[in-house]
Amino acid sequence: MPTPRKFEPHYRRIIADIRARVASGQWPPGHKLPSTKALAEMYGVNSQTTVRQAVTILIETGELYGHQGLGVFVAEQET
């Protein structure tokens, strides 16, 4: 039986939290996410690259979308 992993990468924690905020309605469709720097501070990570990795994954899955120069927003969820 494999040993459970105790360490979860920071980007996965960030993805889970963003998904939870969207699901709860705290961040509804069209909501602009805080800046990468603000998210890094909010999640207590030293690297903005970690936040970008999480956001990129959520953009690739269609859960977020970005507009050059405007920011990243919560996408409409398909029902």
Side-chain angles (χ1 to χ4, degrees), residues 50-71:
T50 302
V51 172
R52 282 190 211 99
Q53 182 180 14
V55 169
T56 298
I57 290 169
L58 292 169
I59 289 172
E60 288 173 352
T61 61
E63 297 168 75
L64 301 177
Y65 64 94
H67 281 292
Q68 184 69 30
L70 295 177

Side-chain angles (χ1 to χ4, degrees), residues 2-3 11 18 25 28 35 39 46 49-50 61 66-67 70 73 76:
T3 305
Y11 78 92
I18 291 172
S35 69
L39 286 171
N46 294 327
T49 302
T50 302
T61 61
H67 281 292
L70 295 177
F73 300 84
E76 292 286 337

Side-chain angles (χ1 to χ4, degrees), residues 23-46:
S24 73
Q26 183 179 359
W27 288 357
H31 175 82
K32 181 179 178 183
L33 270 65
S35 69
T36 303
K37 181 178 180 182
L39 286 171
E41 291 173 6
M42 187 171 108
Y43 291 115
V45 295
N46 294 327

Side-chain angles (χ1 to χ4, degrees), residues 7-35:
F7 174 76
E8 182 177 24
H10 294 302
Y11 78 92
R12 287 189 184 170
R13 281 190 310 107
I14 295 168
I15 288 171
D17 186 69
I18 291 172
R19 284 178 172 157
R21 289 172 188 266
V22 171
S24 73
Q26 183 179 359
W27 288 357
H31 175 82
K32 181 179 178 183
L33 270 65
S35 69

